[in-house]
Amino acid sequence: LSICSKLCYAIGGAPNQVAGSATAFFLQIYLLDIAHITPFHASLVLFIGKASGAVTDPVAGFFISKSRWTRIGRLMPWMLACTPFTIVCYFFMWYLPPFVWGRVAWYVTFHCLFQALTTLFQVPYSALTMFLSTDQKDRDSATAYRMTIEVLGTLIGAALQGQIVASAHVSHHCTVNPPVNTTDSWHHTPSIPDPSDILSHQVIYKIAAGVIGGVYLLGIVILFLGVKEKDDPYALNSDRAIPFCKGLALTMKHGPYVKLTASFLLISTAVQLEQNNFVLFCTNAAGLRSHFQYLVVTILVSAAVSVPFWQKFLQRFGKKCAACGISWMIPFAVMLVTIPNLILAYFVAFVSGLSIAASLLLPWSMLPDVVDNFRLQNPHGKGQETIFYSSYVFFTKISAGIGLGISAAGLGFTGYKPGICRQSDDVILTLKILIGAVPAILILMGLFILLFYPITEQSRKETKLALEELR
């Protein structure tokens, strides 16, 4: 597999990460502080959107598994068809409608459509890994390229969005720390006092959405021109298709897949909670209102540059051993919420980036091994790859949606108020729990489950040899 093909494949997935990063870091604070909807309604938007994307995963897996081969492949037509609609929905997700009544329905609708359409892209795109090469090293290398570019895409999304919209969340009313004997007037000083500012902030968010929409077009063109999808490289002459429902039942009974999915749905939920609450934590609980965009960039730069390191690490020491790096963020996140210091915040951001890179690379590097293991046990089954990938994304989205919905609802329950300079002590405590304690518990639970994951480096080599013999 050529370096050019790997790069084009990796770049094709970057736009989803650019948009996903901007959404993860800024959608919640946009809904609360710009759209001025209540925390409860914001939690509905976040949860229903994630749930819609999750529900789309098995549906997409079903229809894609039934797709016929075309001149440009079986998976590529899906990615080409959904991209224009994804761009439109993404733009309107950041558009502030002129009406107040029905505004929640507006954001629920376009967030759901956007999540569903990105799923229709992501399922065939991630499954495309299995149709690039039959060699495990080639697939692992392509996955490393993909994760590096996707983390760079995440960095670009957060940096673009952060630099463009930073002025919407930094006000001269809130740039100084309050005195110790904080008065009610400080708590209730509006950070967006002028209606003309609100209008300019809307325009800023629309500009950011338009820029990221352009990234989508560039990515899909590079993917289409640079990647050739190969007809099922695992197909045997005697292959016979397994019905979707039976195939789904078989995947849910496959031990390595169940353990891998259970582990990383907990870990991905922890990472999602960190992403979605980090900007709120910096602006409201840590006194870092003027630094949040730089901290976000620090996290993502650290993640981007460390993906090649983790790829080398897992090649030498094994994929299960590399999972230990995910736990690095736990002690430093706890330190940040207990000692909100600026220098410490940047150090925590750097270490968190290392852990996030490991959490992004490992599941997508391990899933092809699980599929290989399944193919060895079911040599006459065909077309199950999309079921594995769509089911994995389904479970991680559901868990993340529940986590994000609960976190936003928790902020509403403790009295979060948009547009004020300082939140109540209950809100600050809630943000500290969401950034420190909850992710730490989820990560530890996920790593404990991963201890029982049965595929080792030795069994991977044995599976490779057995599949070559079957071919």
Side-chain angles (χ1 to χ4, degrees):
L1 197 62
S2 69
I3 293 177
C4 180
S5 294
K6 296 175 187 176
L7 278 174
C8 290
Y9 170 65
I11 292 171
N16 254 2
Q17 304 307 313
V18 172
S21 172
T23 303
F25 280 109
F26 293 97
L27 182 59
Q28 181 165 259
I29 198 169
Y30 169 81
L31 295 173
L32 294 172
D33 287 359
I34 306 299
H36 284 192
I37 66 176
T38 67
F40 173 74
H41 288 137
S43 70
L44 286 181
V45 173
L46 294 172
F47 172 72
I48 295 175
K50 284 288 185 182
S52 69
V55 170
T56 309
D57 281 300
V59 176
F62 173 77
F63 285 107
I64 293 170
S65 67
K66 300 293 183 182
S67 300
R68 294 183 178 181
W69 189 264
T70 68
R71 287 185 298 175
I72 60 174
R74 187 163 63 93
L75 304 174
M76 190 67 71
W78 287 88
M79 294 179 274
L80 289 173
C82 69
T83 298
F85 300 102
T86 305
I87 296 171
V88 173
C89 290
Y90 181 79
F91 179 82
F92 282 113
M93 191 172 68
W94 300 97
Y95 178 81
L96 190 67
F99 49 83
V100 176
W101 186 87
R103 188 172 288 180
V104 174
W106 173 280
Y107 289 114
V108 167
T109 299
F110 283 104
H111 192 212
C112 287
L113 289 173
F114 172 72
Q115 292 290 342
L117 287 165
T118 54
T119 295
L120 288 176
F121 180 95
Q122 193 65 29
V123 169
Y125 174 76
S126 55
L128 187 59
T129 309
M130 303 300 298
F131 299 93
L132 297 175
S133 173
T134 59
D135 187 77
Q136 289 182 351
K137 289 185 178 179
D138 266 350
R139 294 201 309 259
D140 285 347
S141 178
T143 301
Y145 273 80
R146 171 191 161 192
M147 287 299 108
T148 303
I149 298 298
E150 285 192 353
V151 173
L152 285 173
T154 305
L155 168 62
I156 292 169
L160 275 176
Q161 191 86 356
Q163 294 301 319
I164 294 173
V165 310
S167 61
H169 301 288
V170 178
S171 171
H172 65 275
H173 292 280
C174 302
T175 53
V176 294
N177 291 324
V180 176
N181 54 345
T182 304
T183 62
D184 289 341
S185 62
W186 174 273
H187 278 80
H188 296 286
T189 300
S191 61
I192 309 174
D194 192 339
S196 63
D197 286 345
I198 298 176
L199 183 61
S200 66
H201 297 162
Q202 297 170 23
V203 174
I204 287 171
Y205 267 96
K206 285 189 283 188
I207 291 172
V211 171
I212 292 177
V215 174
Y216 262 106
L217 288 177
L218 179 63
I220 193 64
V221 170
I222 293 175
L223 179 67
F224 176 71
L225 296 178
V227 175
K228 183 179 180 181
E229 183 182 345
K230 299 175 183 178
D231 199 0
D232 191 358
Y234 285 115
L236 301 173
N237 291 332
S238 59
D239 274 357
R240 55 182 180 274
I242 298 177
F244 179 82
C245 292
K246 183 179 179 181
L248 184 61
L250 287 173
T251 59
M252 293 301 103
K253 294 177 182 177
H254 192 59
Y257 181 68
V258 171
K259 292 179 177 67
L260 180 70
T261 303
S263 172
F264 278 97
L265 70 84
L266 292 171
I267 293 170
S268 65
T269 302
V271 173
Q272 285 275 348
L273 284 171
E274 290 274 354
Q275 284 184 319
N276 278 266
N277 292 288
F278 187 76
V279 176
L280 282 171
F281 173 78
C282 289
T283 56
N284 293 294
L288 303 172
R289 184 180 292 271
S290 59
H291 291 271
F292 73 83
Q293 68 268 35
Y294 306 113
L295 289 167
V296 169
V297 170
T298 302
I299 291 174
L300 298 173
V301 168
S302 171
V305 299
S306 61
V307 168
F309 161 76
W310 286 118
Q311 175 64 14
K312 294 291 184 183
F313 187 96
L314 65 86
Q315 285 178 343
R316 181 164 185 178
F317 299 104
K319 298 179 181 180
K320 286 181 68 173
C321 186
C324 67
I326 300 172
S327 64
W328 291 358
M329 73 167 69
I330 295 175
F332 296 102
V334 173
M335 288 173 62
L336 179 62
V337 299
T338 53
I339 315 170
N341 177 272
L342 178 60
I343 297 176
L344 178 61
Y346 277 99
F347 187 68
V348 170
F350 175 77
V351 176
S352 296
L354 297 177
S355 296
I356 289 172
S359 71
L360 291 174
L361 175 64
L362 281 173
W364 297 112
S365 180
M366 296 165 87
L367 263 176
D369 301 335
V370 173
V371 177
D372 278 348
N373 184 271
F374 179 84
R375 289 287 297 176
L376 186 61
Q377 296 182 21
N378 301 271
H380 297 287
K382 184 178 180 180
Q384 305 303 302
E385 296 82 7
T386 53
I387 297 178
F388 277 95
Y389 283 87
S390 62
S391 299
Y392 173 77
V393 180
F394 167 78
F395 288 117
T396 54
K397 282 185 178 179
I398 282 290
S399 63
I402 293 173
L404 297 178
I406 291 174
S407 71
L411 291 174
F413 179 76
T414 53
Y416 180 90
K417 295 179 181 178
I420 65 173
C421 291
R422 180 178 169 84
Q423 301 292 334
S424 68
D425 291 340
D426 289 340
V427 172
I428 293 174
L429 177 61
T430 301
L431 286 170
K432 289 181 177 181
I433 293 172
L434 292 173
I435 285 290
V438 176
I441 293 171
L442 292 175
I443 289 172
L444 291 174
M445 290 171 61
L447 292 177
F448 178 75
I449 294 173
L450 198 61
L451 290 174
F452 302 97
Y453 176 70
I455 297 179
T456 63
E457 295 306 302
Q458 180 62 31
S459 66
R460 281 205 317 136
K461 294 176 183 177
E462 293 171 357
T463 299
K464 178 184 176 181
L465 292 174
L467 284 175
E468 288 175 353
E469 183 179 348
L470 279 174
R471 293 190 189 98

